[in-house]
């Protein structure tokens, strides 16, 4: 079942209400930067705060995944061609979006990889890497975000410039399942060993989102990232429309299952008078929302805008924008350098981590009340 809501002639969002650094207001509680930033990266994009309490960085132009402690100590790395998205499942394996070289075609295609951290006793450099999904017939597609669902299922946000196909447009969200099979094998000494084999399989594209350049609350075009709430199938997807006006830069979808429906519905309905002015769905709020993360403890939502160079924070229950949102003006007031084309964001413990991509560093922020 596809659930669509469309909005007619929307009044354009007042630019004074955009989360620009020059218009944000702040209370006594604000984010303070932890110094020094982490350096040694080349075009760092995605970040992930792991269930293992480690930080993972997609160091894109160095073709590697970097594993760090919360103190910034590099533990190990793994080689992946141009990684741009990271997630971790409940086995603590990593799911990574990167690329696969095709010398015969002089190009690359997108791939999803499983890094078997579990069977490698958490040694990233020794972990086996499997390719679990690729689409060689569509070399321009890229997988921009990965997010874990319940029961070790996961969803992937796919991007591309060709959305002319009604059946298989580039802009989709794909739903995967990972099952564990127990295999009996013999080691070199003839001993019987029970080995877990993970089998990844695509279930279906999610049909509750419509790929089209419209003004509906479930329309998607050019997705940039995706994240799920802890122990939930609810997700938030960010998107950046390149040709046309972007009405909703972030979609909040809630999983629903009943006797006559199973799928995702929008959290807020802009047609309802009591929900029309909820902060999260105010039209034209963003210019290029690039990444999204969730504080798994407080359920706060953080959306990173690459063009506005701002971090907008929302209450994860009511969808209201919080005053701790900040941008470059706030950083300047604290004598800190500006963000430059940031692309990745994650939250672990009480710390917000940001890929300051244009400056090739990872920066960390913590609330003044948590210091």
């Amino acid at each position: 079942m596809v659930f669509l809501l469309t909005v007619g002639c929307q009044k354009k969002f007042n630019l004074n209400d955009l989360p620009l650094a020059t218009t944000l207001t702040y209370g006594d509680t604000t984010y303070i930067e932890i110094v020094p930033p982490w350096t040694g990266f080349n075009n760092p994009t995605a970040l992930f705060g792991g269930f293992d309490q480690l930080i993972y960085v997609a160091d894109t132009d160095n073709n590697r995944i970097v594993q760090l402690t919360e103190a910034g100590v590099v533990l190990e790395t793994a080689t992946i061609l141009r990684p741009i998205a990271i997630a971790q499942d409940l086995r603590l394996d990593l799911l990574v979006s990167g690329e696969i070289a095709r010398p015969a075609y002089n190009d690359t295609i997108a791939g999803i990889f499983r890094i078997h951290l579990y069977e490698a006793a958490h040694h990233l450099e020794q972990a086996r890497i499997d390719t679990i999904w690729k689409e060689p017939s569509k070399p321009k597609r890229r997988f921009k975000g990965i997010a874990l669902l319940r029961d070790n299922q996961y969803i992937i946000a796919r991007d591309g410039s060709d959305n002319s196909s009604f059946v298989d447009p580039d802009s989709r969200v794909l739903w995967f399942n990972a099952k564990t099979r127990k295999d009996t094998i013999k080691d070199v000494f003839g001993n019987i060993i029970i080995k877990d084999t993970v089998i990844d399989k695509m279930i279906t594209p999610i049909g509750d989102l419509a790929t089209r350049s419209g003004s509906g609350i479930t329309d998607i075009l050019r997705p940039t990232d995706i994240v799920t709430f802890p122990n939930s199938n609810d997700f938030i997807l960010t998107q950046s429309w390149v040709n046309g006006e972007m009405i909703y830069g972030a979609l909040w979808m809630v999983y629903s299952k009943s006797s006559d429906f199973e799928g995702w519905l929008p959290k807020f309905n802009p047609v309802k008078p009591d929900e029309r002015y909820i902060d999260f769905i105010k039209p034209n709020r963003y210019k290029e929302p690039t990444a999204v993360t969730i504080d798994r403890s407080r359920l706060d939502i953080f959306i990173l805008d690459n063009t506005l160079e701002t971090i907008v924070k929302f209450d994860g229950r009511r969808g209201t924008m919080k005053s701790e949102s900040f941008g470059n003006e706030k950083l300047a007031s604290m004598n800190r350098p500006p963000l430059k084309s940031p692309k990745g964001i994650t939250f672990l413990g009480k710390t917000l981590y940001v890929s300051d991509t244009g400056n090739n560093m990872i920066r960390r922020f913590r609330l003044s009340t948590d210091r």
Side-chain angles (χ1 to χ4, degrees), residues 98-156:
E99 296 181 12
I100 301 168
R102 299 197 303 179
Y105 295 90
N106 194 30
D107 69 358
T108 62
I109 60 172
I112 299 293
F113 307 93
R114 177 178 289 275
I115 303 180
H116 292 268
L117 272 183
Y118 174 77
E119 69 177 37
H122 231 69
H123 290 291
L124 184 60
E125 291 178 348
Q126 300 173 21
R128 178 167 54 93
I129 302 176
D130 286 339
T131 302
I132 59 179
W133 188 254
K134 59 183 178 179
E135 299 177 334
S137 64
K138 301 288 185 178
K140 293 185 179 180
R141 289 177 173 175
R142 293 297 179 264
F143 303 114
K144 305 302 286 287
I146 310 170
L148 185 70
L149 300 173
R150 289 176 176 170
D151 302 322
N152 256 3
Q153 298 181 53
Y154 54 96
I155 47 180
I156 296 175

Side-chain angles (χ1 to χ4, degrees), residues 23-275:
T23 63
L24 289 173
T25 58
Y26 303 91
D28 295 331
T29 302
T30 189
Y31 277 93
I32 306 297
E33 184 166 9
I34 302 171
V35 293
W38 300 345
T39 57
F41 304 99
N42 187 8
N43 189 26
T45 53
L47 296 172
F48 188 79
F51 302 119
D52 51 11
Q53 303 304 303
L54 298 175
I55 302 295
Y56 294 91
V57 180
D59 193 9
T60 305
D61 286 356
N62 280 332
N63 300 314
R64 62 177 187 164
I65 299 296
V66 184
Q67 180 191 64
L68 305 99
T69 68
E70 291 181 84
V73 177
V74 175
L75 299 178
E76 298 185 29
T77 64
T79 300
I80 296 283
L81 181 63
R82 295 195 59 78
I84 58 171
I86 312 171
Q88 188 174 48
D89 71 8
L90 297 180
R91 288 169 49 91
L92 305 184
D93 285 352
L94 296 182
L95 299 167
V96 177
S97 167
E99 296 181 12
I100 301 168
R102 299 197 303 179
Y105 295 90
N106 194 30
D107 69 358
T108 62
I109 60 172
I112 299 293
F113 307 93
R114 177 178 289 275
I115 303 180
H116 292 268
L117 272 183
Y118 174 77
E119 69 177 37
H122 231 69
H123 290 291
L124 184 60
E125 291 178 348
Q126 300 173 21
R128 178 167 54 93
I129 302 176
D130 286 339
T131 302
I132 59 179
W133 188 254
K134 59 183 178 179
E135 299 177 334
S137 64
K138 301 288 185 178
K140 293 185 179 180
R141 289 177 173 175
R142 293 297 179 264
F143 303 114
K144 305 302 286 287
I146 310 170
L148 185 70
L149 300 173
R150 289 176 176 170
D151 302 322
N152 256 3
Q153 298 181 53
Y154 54 96
I155 47 180
I156 296 175
R158 188 179 71 192
D159 179 37
S161 58
D162 183 4
N163 289 294
S164 58
S165 170
F166 176 79
V167 177
D168 188 29
D170 287 354
S171 295
R172 299 294 298 265
V173 175
L174 307 179
W175 185 3
F176 283 76
N177 191 17
K179 293 185 177 180
T180 302
R181 184 185 69 204
K182 292 190 177 296
D183 293 331
T184 301
I185 61 173
K186 290 184 178 181
D187 64 14
V188 293
F189 303 104
N191 299 314
I192 300 298
I193 298 174
I194 304 299
K195 179 182 178 182
D196 289 343
T197 300
V198 181
I199 302 173
D200 295 274
K201 184 178 180 180
M202 202 256 284
I203 301 173
T204 181
I206 292 180
D208 303 307
L209 297 169
T211 304
R212 60 183 185 183
S213 55
S215 56
I217 193 64
T218 57
D219 288 356
I220 65 167
L221 194 66
R222 308 307 300 269
T224 57
D225 198 11
I226 196 165
V227 69
T228 48
F229 287 84
N231 193 31
S232 170
N233 286 345
D234 299 353
F235 68 84
I236 292 175
L237 176 141
T238 53
Q239 57 182 342
S240 178
W241 297 9
V242 292
N243 294 314
E245 189 175 78
M246 179 178 60
I247 303 298
Y248 300 110
L251 305 181
W252 187 338
M253 303 296 291
V254 176
Y255 183 75
S256 177
K257 185 176 182 179
S258 64
S259 59
D260 58 355
F261 176 80
E262 181 179 2
W264 282 266
L265 301 171
K267 169 78 170 178
F268 302 116
N269 184 345
V271 176
K272 294 181 178 179
D274 58 336
E275 294 186 359

